[in-house]
Amino acid sequence: MPIDATQAYDDGNIFAKILRGEIPSTKVYEDEWACAFEDINPQAAVHTLVVPKGRYVSWDDFSASASAEEIAGFVRAVGTVAREKGLVEPGYRLLANTGGHAGQEVPHLHVHIFGGEPLGRMIGG
Ligand code: 5GP
């Protein structure tokens, strides 16, 4: 079931558990503001998720309520992960599903990084 992007933050969500180290993940990057790990069900040759360390449900929540430092830290982390994975020259795609129509399933903001192969045009059917 997709989540409601305006719902209250739930500390029991799966990415909160990954951030607290309560469940395993293949972590590829971590700093003060963000953590990145491989998606458990990859949709492309490279499919990495980047999450902010703060308690934000969605892109809507984060863009409205996060501090300038948190936003800068998170955006820089997404760019760093893509760069460290060698995706800049071949190209990559970012995706942040937000709420019902986008099918967001995990209620902790995450940006998907897709790459490692040609991705086609825009969104799937
Ligand atoms: P959404 O649809 O919310 O944008 O994407 C959620 C993503 O989280 C999906 O691509 C899904 O495969 C991934 N995911 C769900 N549970 C886990 C998990 O326990 N570990 C990892 N690494 N990824 C997960």
Short mmCIF file of all heavy atoms in Angstrom, two decimals, residues 7 19-20 28 33 35 39 50-51 53 58 60-61 66-67 69 74 77 83 98 103-104 108-109 112 114 117 122:
data_model
loop_
_atom_site.label_atom_id
_atom_site.label_comp_id
_atom_site.label_asym_id
_atom_site.label_seq_id
_atom_site.Cartn_x
_atom_site.Cartn_y
_atom_site.Cartn_z
N GLN A 7 1.62 11.92 6.20
CA GLN A 7 1.42 11.25 7.49
C GLN A 7 2.55 11.59 8.46
O GLN A 7 3.63 12.04 8.06
CB GLN A 7 1.32 9.74 7.29
CG GLN A 7 2.64 9.06 6.94
CD GLN A 7 2.46 7.59 6.55
OE1 GLN A 7 1.60 7.24 5.76
NE2 GLN A 7 3.27 6.73 7.14
N LEU A 19 18.84 2.65 9.49
CA LEU A 19 19.67 3.74 10.02
C LEU A 19 20.16 3.44 11.43
O LEU A 19 21.28 3.78 11.81
CB LEU A 19 18.89 5.06 10.03
CG LEU A 19 18.78 5.78 8.69
CD1 LEU A 19 17.77 6.93 8.79
CD2 LEU A 19 20.12 6.31 8.24
N ARG A 20 19.31 2.78 12.23
CA ARG A 20 19.70 2.45 13.61
C ARG A 20 20.54 1.17 13.68
O ARG A 20 20.95 0.75 14.76
CB ARG A 20 18.45 2.28 14.49
CG ARG A 20 17.65 3.57 14.71
CD ARG A 20 16.65 3.43 15.86
NE ARG A 20 15.62 2.44 15.61
CZ ARG A 20 14.42 2.69 15.08
NH1 ARG A 20 14.09 3.93 14.76
NH2 ARG A 20 13.54 1.72 14.87
N VAL A 28 26.74 1.74 1.32
CA VAL A 28 27.82 2.16 0.42
C VAL A 28 28.35 3.55 0.77
O VAL A 28 29.39 3.97 0.26
CB VAL A 28 27.37 2.13 -1.07
CG1 VAL A 28 27.05 0.71 -1.48
CG2 VAL A 28 26.18 3.05 -1.33
N TRP A 33 24.84 13.56 7.45
CA TRP A 33 23.50 13.91 7.01
C TRP A 33 22.73 12.79 6.34
O TRP A 33 21.49 12.85 6.26
CB TRP A 33 23.57 15.09 6.02
CG TRP A 33 24.31 16.25 6.56
CD1 TRP A 33 25.56 16.69 6.21
CD2 TRP A 33 23.87 17.11 7.62
NE1 TRP A 33 25.92 17.77 6.97
CE2 TRP A 33 24.89 18.07 7.84
CE3 TRP A 33 22.70 17.19 8.38
CZ2 TRP A 33 24.79 19.06 8.81
CZ3 TRP A 33 22.60 18.18 9.36
CH2 TRP A 33 23.64 19.10 9.55
N CYS A 35 22.71 8.51 4.56
CA CYS A 35 23.23 7.14 4.47
C CYS A 35 22.75 6.59 3.13
O CYS A 35 21.62 6.88 2.70
CB CYS A 35 22.66 6.35 5.63
SG CYS A 35 23.18 4.65 5.69
N ASP A 39 19.47 -1.04 -2.99
CA ASP A 39 18.07 -1.47 -2.93
C ASP A 39 18.01 -3.00 -2.90
O ASP A 39 18.73 -3.68 -3.63
CB ASP A 39 17.30 -0.93 -4.15
CG ASP A 39 15.79 -1.02 -3.95
OD1 ASP A 39 15.25 -2.14 -3.96
OD2 ASP A 39 15.16 0.04 -3.76
N VAL A 50 19.38 6.62 -1.21
CA VAL A 50 20.02 7.57 -0.30
C VAL A 50 18.93 8.14 0.60
O VAL A 50 17.88 8.59 0.12
CB VAL A 50 20.73 8.71 -1.05
CG1 VAL A 50 21.59 9.52 -0.08
CG2 VAL A 50 21.57 8.17 -2.19
N VAL A 51 19.17 8.08 1.91
CA VAL A 51 18.17 8.57 2.88
C VAL A 51 18.82 9.61 3.78
O VAL A 51 19.98 9.47 4.16
CB VAL A 51 17.59 7.41 3.73
CG1 VAL A 51 16.99 6.32 2.84
CG2 VAL A 51 18.60 6.81 4.68
N LYS A 53 19.39 11.39 7.40
CA LYS A 53 19.39 10.84 8.76
C LYS A 53 18.23 11.37 9.59
O LYS A 53 17.84 10.75 10.57
CB LYS A 53 20.72 11.11 9.43
CG LYS A 53 21.83 10.26 8.82
CD LYS A 53 22.99 10.06 9.75
CE LYS A 53 23.89 8.94 9.23
NZ LYS A 53 25.21 8.95 9.88
N SER A 58 8.79 12.15 3.65
CA SER A 58 8.71 12.26 2.19
C SER A 58 9.47 13.48 1.71
O SER A 58 9.91 14.33 2.50
CB SER A 58 7.24 12.39 1.77
OG SER A 58 6.73 13.64 2.25
N ASP A 60 8.07 15.89 0.30
CA ASP A 60 7.24 17.03 0.71
C ASP A 60 7.62 17.50 2.11
O ASP A 60 7.87 18.68 2.35
CB ASP A 60 5.76 16.66 0.66
CG ASP A 60 4.90 17.83 1.07
OD1 ASP A 60 4.84 18.82 0.32
OD2 ASP A 60 4.34 17.79 2.19
N ASP A 61 7.67 16.55 3.04
CA ASP A 61 8.03 16.84 4.43
C ASP A 61 9.43 17.46 4.50
O ASP A 61 9.63 18.51 5.15
CB ASP A 61 7.98 15.50 5.18
CG ASP A 61 8.20 15.61 6.67
OD1 ASP A 61 8.06 16.73 7.21
OD2 ASP A 61 8.49 14.58 7.30
N ALA A 66 12.91 20.57 6.62
CA ALA A 66 14.33 20.35 6.95
C ALA A 66 15.09 21.68 6.96
O ALA A 66 14.70 22.63 6.28
CB ALA A 66 14.96 19.39 5.93
N SER A 67 16.17 21.71 7.74
CA SER A 67 17.00 22.91 7.78
C SER A 67 17.82 23.01 6.49
O SER A 67 18.01 22.02 5.77
CB SER A 67 17.95 22.84 8.98
OG SER A 67 18.91 21.83 8.77
N GLU A 69 20.93 23.29 6.31
CA GLU A 69 22.10 22.39 6.46
C GLU A 69 21.73 20.95 6.10
O GLU A 69 22.50 20.26 5.43
CB GLU A 69 22.58 22.41 7.91
CG GLU A 69 23.61 23.45 8.22
CD GLU A 69 24.22 23.18 9.60
OE1 GLU A 69 23.45 22.89 10.54
OE2 GLU A 69 25.45 23.26 9.71
N PHE A 74 22.13 16.52 2.46
CA PHE A 74 21.50 15.39 1.77
C PHE A 74 21.75 15.47 0.26
O PHE A 74 22.13 14.48 -0.38
CB PHE A 74 20.00 15.37 2.07
CG PHE A 74 19.26 14.24 1.40
CD1 PHE A 74 19.56 12.92 1.70
CD2 PHE A 74 18.27 14.51 0.46
CE1 PHE A 74 18.88 11.88 1.07
CE2 PHE A 74 17.60 13.48 -0.16
CZ PHE A 74 17.90 12.15 0.14
N ALA A 77 25.18 14.53 -0.53
CA ALA A 77 25.40 13.08 -0.37
C ALA A 77 24.92 12.32 -1.60
O ALA A 77 25.59 11.41 -2.08
CB ALA A 77 24.70 12.58 0.89
N ARG A 83 28.68 10.01 -7.90
CA ARG A 83 30.05 10.26 -8.39
C ARG A 83 30.96 9.08 -8.02
O ARG A 83 31.70 8.57 -8.85
CB ARG A 83 30.57 11.55 -7.74
CG ARG A 83 31.47 12.38 -8.60
CD ARG A 83 31.74 13.74 -7.94
NE ARG A 83 30.53 14.56 -7.88
CZ ARG A 83 29.99 15.04 -6.75
NH1 ARG A 83 30.55 14.82 -5.58
NH2 ARG A 83 28.89 15.76 -6.80
N THR A 98 6.77 10.11 -4.11
CA THR A 98 6.16 10.90 -3.04
C THR A 98 4.66 10.63 -3.00
O THR A 98 3.92 11.07 -3.88
CB THR A 98 6.44 12.40 -3.27
OG1 THR A 98 7.85 12.60 -3.40
CG2 THR A 98 5.92 13.25 -2.11
N GLY A 103 3.36 5.80 -5.70
CA GLY A 103 3.57 4.46 -5.15
C GLY A 103 4.65 4.40 -4.07
O GLY A 103 5.26 3.35 -3.87
N GLN A 104 4.87 5.51 -3.36
CA GLN A 104 5.85 5.48 -2.27
C GLN A 104 5.44 4.44 -1.23
O GLN A 104 4.31 4.48 -0.74
CB GLN A 104 5.98 6.86 -1.60
CG GLN A 104 7.03 6.88 -0.49
CD GLN A 104 7.13 8.22 0.23
OE1 GLN A 104 6.47 9.20 -0.15
NE2 GLN A 104 7.94 8.27 1.27
N HIS A 108 9.98 6.94 4.87
CA HIS A 108 11.17 7.72 5.24
C HIS A 108 11.75 8.18 3.91
O HIS A 108 12.06 7.34 3.05
CB HIS A 108 12.17 6.86 6.02
CG HIS A 108 13.39 7.62 6.47
ND1 HIS A 108 13.69 7.85 7.81
CD2 HIS A 108 14.38 8.20 5.76
CE1 HIS A 108 14.82 8.54 7.89
NE2 HIS A 108 15.26 8.77 6.66
N LEU A 109 11.91 9.50 3.73
CA LEU A 109 12.39 10.00 2.44
C LEU A 109 13.58 9.21 1.91
O LEU A 109 14.54 8.96 2.64
CB LEU A 109 12.80 11.47 2.57
CG LEU A 109 13.55 12.04 1.34
CD1 LEU A 109 12.68 12.03 0.10
CD2 LEU A 109 14.07 13.43 1.63
N HIS A 112 16.08 7.37 -5.02
CA HIS A 112 16.63 6.25 -5.76
C HIS A 112 17.66 6.79 -6.74
O HIS A 112 17.39 7.76 -7.45
CB HIS A 112 15.54 5.55 -6.60
CG HIS A 112 14.40 4.97 -5.82
ND1 HIS A 112 14.23 3.61 -5.64
CD2 HIS A 112 13.34 5.56 -5.21
CE1 HIS A 112 13.12 3.39 -4.95
NE2 HIS A 112 12.55 4.55 -4.68
N PHE A 114 19.46 5.42 -10.07
CA PHE A 114 19.49 4.34 -11.06
C PHE A 114 20.61 4.62 -12.06
O PHE A 114 20.81 5.77 -12.46
CB PHE A 114 18.18 4.29 -11.85
CG PHE A 114 16.96 3.98 -11.04
CD1 PHE A 114 16.04 4.98 -10.76
CD2 PHE A 114 16.72 2.70 -10.56
CE1 PHE A 114 14.89 4.70 -10.02
CE2 PHE A 114 15.58 2.41 -9.83
CZ PHE A 114 14.66 3.41 -9.55
N GLU A 117 23.47 1.32 -16.83
CA GLU A 117 22.99 0.83 -18.13
C GLU A 117 22.05 1.91 -18.69
O GLU A 117 21.55 2.74 -17.92
CB GLU A 117 22.23 -0.49 -17.97
CG GLU A 117 20.99 -0.37 -17.09
CD GLU A 117 20.28 -1.69 -16.86
OE1 GLU A 117 20.36 -2.56 -17.74
OE2 GLU A 117 19.63 -1.83 -15.81
N MET A 122 12.38 8.51 -19.35
CA MET A 122 11.47 8.86 -18.28
C MET A 122 10.89 7.67 -17.56
O MET A 122 11.57 6.73 -17.24
CB MET A 122 10.36 9.77 -18.83
CG MET A 122 10.92 11.00 -19.52
SD MET A 122 11.86 12.05 -18.40
CE MET A 122 10.83 13.46 -18.41
#
